[in-house]
Amino acid sequence: MKRIHSPVLLLCLTASTQASGLYLYEIATDDVGLAGAGQAARAQDASTLFTNPAGMTLLPGKTMSLGGQMLYGRAKYGLNDDALLNGNSPGNVIGWFPGASAFYSQPITDQLSAGIGLYGNYGLGLHFGDWAGDNLIKDSTLVAMTLMPSVAWKYNDALSMGFGLGINYGFLKLKRQTATGENEQSDHDWALNSKFGIIYQFTPETRAGLTYTSETKYHFDINGSVQLDQLTNSPSYTLPIAATVNTPQQVMFSLYHDLNRQWALMGDLGWQDWSAYSNSQIVVGENRVGDNERLRDTWHVALGTQFRPTDDWTFNTGVAFDSSFYRNQNDTSLTMPSGNTWRWGVGARYQLDAESSIGAAFEYAYIESSRVASPLLQGEYQHPSLYFFSLNYNRNF
């Protein structure tokens, strides 16, 4: 009996893209140009609902932020010559993927602010096409959108606290090739999660932010049982789809400091609880197979700076590192080429008038190579990379 040692239906990447995996920091805001640096403490526009809802108390009146983004992924998978599945390799499985966000915030009283955000920072489309394993997976799409109403309370001039309720909608579609033709399954689900944040201002120039985001659990009714056409008398492989579409709890700590009127420095330290999913395993017949401790917690660090040469222009740049949630890059998942990741971002914002501004940003993510150890599917992703292009518009009312 042959067996698969890696979950071949983990249906998303990085992003967010977040630690080298499913979460995305990038949602078409200025954080793209900063590689996420200072995200929980910056609080410079209405997108602080996403990074730290407590930051709404620092915004000047009614504020709106709109953004659009395109992600291009380059992740080519090549089967080894001695893989048990014979035939074509998938090639690049990502390509282009769009994204958008919208946020609005306003004060209710001198101490209380409220807002609402709509964004997508989770999910991806993977296109394997006609390859040797197309009866395992041919194409998959996982799209999730979050509507987050939020409130923030200013306890005093130094301390603010915020809460956001994430109302998440997820859609999953999976295509496979079968003996009778192409088979497509899809399902959708609603899930709730929450975000808590605090911001503390040590001085008018220096502040710290801390956020906690709870786990999100989707339950998709997708049949995970498949048989491998190339193997004679292939057993039924039951893949842990439900366990692979959830997002772990995470914590983010950020600092922001204005050096002077022109320069600001910021940084992050983050953690995600990926080890909670280490027990997701494949079932062959009645038996569980594979290592049940393949995943580990991940860490994120980032540094960034803002330069304001004039009242009209702001320039952003940042660098970030995210550790891999795999314990061993030689034993990873076919559909989750996630290794240690470096991010570099650049961006600019121009003040159109006293109430509105427009921004643009670019980010490049370089991902460590990863290998699939299963004799059936063994092969390698050689240095996958992600490219983010974003535009955003901010307006104060």
Side-chain angles (χ1 to χ4, degrees), residues 162-173:
F163 170 78
L165 177 66
I167 305 168
N168 304 277
Y169 173 80
F171 174 79
L172 173 63
K173 181 171 68 175

Side-chain angles (χ1 to χ4, degrees), residues 30 43 82 92 110 121 150 152 156 164-165 167 196 208 233 239 288 291 297 314 349-350 382-383 385 387:
D30 282 351
D82 53 354
N92 186 21
D110 290 342
N121 73 313
S150 302
N156 55 35
L165 177 66
I167 305 168
F196 300 88
N233 298 321
L239 307 170
R288 293 183 180 273
D291 183 4
D297 293 348
T314 300
R349 172 163 299 285
Y350 179 72
Q382 291 191 352
H383 299 299
S385 54
Y387 305 82

Side-chain angles (χ1 to χ4, degrees), residues 147-181:
L147 180 69
M148 179 172 283
S150 302
V151 294
W153 178 49
K154 185 177 182 180
Y155 177 73
N156 55 35
D157 289 341
L159 178 63
S160 296
M161 294 171 278
F163 170 78
L165 177 66
I167 305 168
N168 304 277
Y169 173 80
F171 174 79
L172 173 63
K173 181 171 68 175
L174 173 66
K175 290 183 181 179
R176 297 168 175 153
Q177 190 67 35
T178 69
T180 58

Side-chain angles (χ1 to χ4, degrees), residues 34-151:
L34 291 162
Q39 58 186 279
R42 192 166 58 84
Q44 293 174 331
D45 55 61
S47 68
T48 191
L49 271 80
F50 169 68
T51 54
N52 189 343
M56 289 188 293
T57 63
L58 304 182
L59 301 179
K62 299 177 181 178
T63 305
M64 177 185 69
S65 297
L66 304 174
Q69 177 174 284
M70 288 298 295
L71 157 66
Y72 177 76
R74 181 184 176 278
K76 293 184 177 181
Y77 187 76
L79 288 167
N80 292 346
D81 291 339
D82 53 354
L84 295 184
L85 282 183
N86 298 315
N88 296 329
S89 295
N92 186 21
V93 302
I94 303 180
W96 292 96
F97 197 77
S101 62
F103 301 94
Y104 175 79
S105 171
Q106 71 172 56
I108 305 301
T109 68
D110 290 342
Q111 285 76 41
L112 189 66
S113 297
I116 191 166
L118 179 66
Y119 58 89
N121 73 313
Y122 177 66
L124 200 64
L126 299 177
H127 309 289
F128 289 82
D130 298 320
W131 71 293
D134 57 10
N135 66 315
L136 284 171
I137 181 171
K138 189 171 184 178
D139 292 287
S140 70
T141 302
L142 176 60
V143 179
M145 291 295 297
T146 300
L147 180 69
M148 179 172 283
S150 302
V151 294

Side-chain angles (χ1 to χ4, degrees), residues 225-382:
S225 298
V226 295
Q227 290 184 307
L228 307 179
D229 292 344
Q230 288 196 31
L231 301 183
T232 304
N233 298 321
S234 168
S236 174
Y237 292 83
T238 301
L239 307 170
I241 293 177
T244 67
V245 295
N246 298 324
T247 62
Q249 61 180 338
Q250 63 173 337
V251 175
M252 184 69 69
F253 174 74
S254 300
L255 289 171
Y256 176 94
H257 176 65
D258 283 312
L259 292 172
N260 52 44
R261 181 184 172 278
Q262 289 187 316
W263 287 95
L265 295 176
M266 59 211 74
D268 290 338
L269 178 63
W271 165 83
Q272 291 181 337
D273 188 21
W274 284 106
S275 63
Y277 302 130
S278 286
N279 292 322
S280 301
Q281 295 178 304
I282 289 178
V283 176
V284 179
E286 300 297 326
N287 300 314
R288 293 183 180 273
V289 300
D291 183 4
N292 67 347
E293 297 293 339
R294 299 173 68 237
L295 302 185
R296 62 183 179 183
D297 293 348
T298 59
W299 295 91
H300 161 86
V301 292
L303 291 173
T305 184
Q306 286 187 325
F307 175 55
R308 299 178 287 266
T310 69
D311 291 338
D312 292 335
W313 283 100
T314 300
F315 296 96
N316 301 316
T317 188
V319 60
F321 175 79
D322 293 89
S323 64
S324 174
F325 43 58
Y326 289 118
R327 296 181 183 275
N328 183 355
Q329 287 302 120
N330 291 312
D331 183 17
T332 68
S333 168
L334 171 69
T335 54
M336 215 166 174
S338 178
N340 294 332
T341 300
W342 285 95
R343 288 176 166 86
W344 293 271
V346 293
R349 172 163 299 285
Y350 179 72
Q351 198 70 32
L352 297 172
D353 53 45
E355 290 80 30
S356 59
S357 64
I358 188 169
F362 168 78
E363 184 187 278
Y364 167 64
Y366 178 82
I367 305 172
E368 179 186 8
S369 296
S370 58
R371 288 158 288 279
V372 174
S374 164
L376 186 75
L377 301 166
Q378 62 180 289
E380 181 179 11
Y381 285 103
Q382 291 191 352

